[in-house]
């Protein structure tokens, strides 16, 4: 798997993303998930993922934090504490993972949310970065393999038998759709419509995107790196 950008930018990228999140939470007083959504929606995330020098080498983490919210001046230089925050570590570790896998930040945090990544601080901040990468890849691959139907059913809080009863569809059919034994894209239209009504979503949401990225991310000794 090709890395996202040249390794010479990696350490600067890790520090910048870590300081960006730390500054956003502790100086700008943003909720971490809320700020992360702003970051994903901004051009900063795309430029960061591509390893654009103007962002990685030409801007500090504080400057990136302000760029995300559309502000580029009028701030006091923060005094980062010697002991790094969990938010700093989350950015520091995530930047490495994004570089290593070449997945976008949106792809990664769709399945492993930023708050959950921060929650891995204990015990992974004391471990080699490869162990963090292995854990994120495990979570990512496990969740990405779930069908849209299963993810939606779980989100709504229904069992397979409850969904079958409410939608009027045999439970075995639902099991086959969730396990990929049957292609829900070829399902009877009335089945998909009935499922969508019970699950409170658009019928298109339950279909599988055949053009989506399906390759599993690398794990184990295919990753190299050091801890914080």
């Amino acid at each position: 798997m090709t890395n996202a950008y040249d390794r010479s930018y990696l350490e600067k990228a890790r520090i910048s993303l870590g300081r960006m999140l730390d500054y956003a939470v502790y100086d700008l007083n943003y909720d971490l998930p809320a700020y992360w959504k702003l970051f994903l929606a901004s051009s900063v995330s795309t430029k960061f993922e591509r390893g654009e020098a103007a962002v990685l080498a030409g801007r500090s983490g504080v400057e990136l934090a302000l760029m995300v919210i559309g502000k580029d001046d009028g701030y006091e230089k923060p005094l980062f504490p010697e002991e790094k925050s969990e938010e700093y570590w989350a950015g520091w570790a995530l930047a490495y993972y994004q570089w290593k896998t070449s997945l976008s930040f949106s792809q990664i945090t769709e399945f492993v949310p930023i708050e959950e990544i921060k929650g891995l601080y204990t015990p992974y901040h004391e471990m080699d970065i490869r162990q963090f990468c292995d854990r994120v890849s495990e979570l990512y691959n496990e969740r990405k393999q779930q069908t849209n139907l299963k993810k939606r059913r779980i989100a709504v809080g229904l069992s397979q038998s409850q969904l079958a009863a409410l939608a009027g569809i045999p439970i075995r059919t639902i099991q086959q759709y969730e396990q990929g034994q049957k292609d829900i894209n070829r399902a009877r239209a009335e089945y998909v419509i009935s499922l969508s009504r019970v699950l409170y979503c658009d019928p298109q949401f339950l279909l599988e995107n055949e053009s989506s990225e399906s390759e599993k991310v690398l794990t184990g000794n295919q990753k190299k790196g050091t801890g914080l």
Side-chain angles (χ1 to χ4, degrees), residues 31-150:
D31 174 70
L32 179 60
Y35 184 83
W36 188 253
K37 287 182 180 178
L38 294 176
F39 172 69
L40 294 181
S42 72
S43 62
V44 177
S45 63
T46 304
K47 293 176 180 178
F48 198 103
E49 292 161 356
R50 295 173 180 170
E52 292 191 16
V55 170
L56 296 189
R59 300 275 185 169
S60 68
V62 171
E63 289 173 321
L64 294 181
L66 294 170
M67 285 176 64
V68 168
I69 62 173
K71 185 177 180 181
D72 57 10
D73 57 16
Y75 70 93
E76 294 185 10
K77 185 176 181 180
L79 295 175
F80 292 109
E82 185 174 337
E83 184 175 342
K84 302 297 190 297
S85 68
E86 293 182 8
E87 287 80 7
Y88 177 95
W89 177 84
W92 180 88
L94 184 55
Y96 181 90
Y97 187 79
Q98 188 278 322
W99 170 81
K100 188 65 179 177
T101 62
S102 293
L103 294 170
S104 70
F105 289 116
S106 293
Q107 287 175 306
I108 297 167
T109 55
E110 176 185 359
F111 297 101
V112 191
I114 190 66
E115 272 287 302
E116 187 172 2
I117 288 174
K118 189 187 83 168
L120 295 175
Y121 176 83
T122 301
Y124 289 95
H125 76 287
E126 296 179 337
M127 300 181 183
D128 189 287
I129 190 65
R130 288 174 293 183
Q131 292 174 283
F132 164 79
C133 290
D134 288 346
R135 180 55 180 156
V136 174
S137 291
E138 179 184 357
L139 294 170
Y140 178 90
N141 290 325
E142 175 185 305
R143 294 167 184 176
K144 194 174 189 310
Q145 289 176 10
Q146 292 182 355
T147 62
N148 292 332
L149 173 61
K150 183 175 182 179

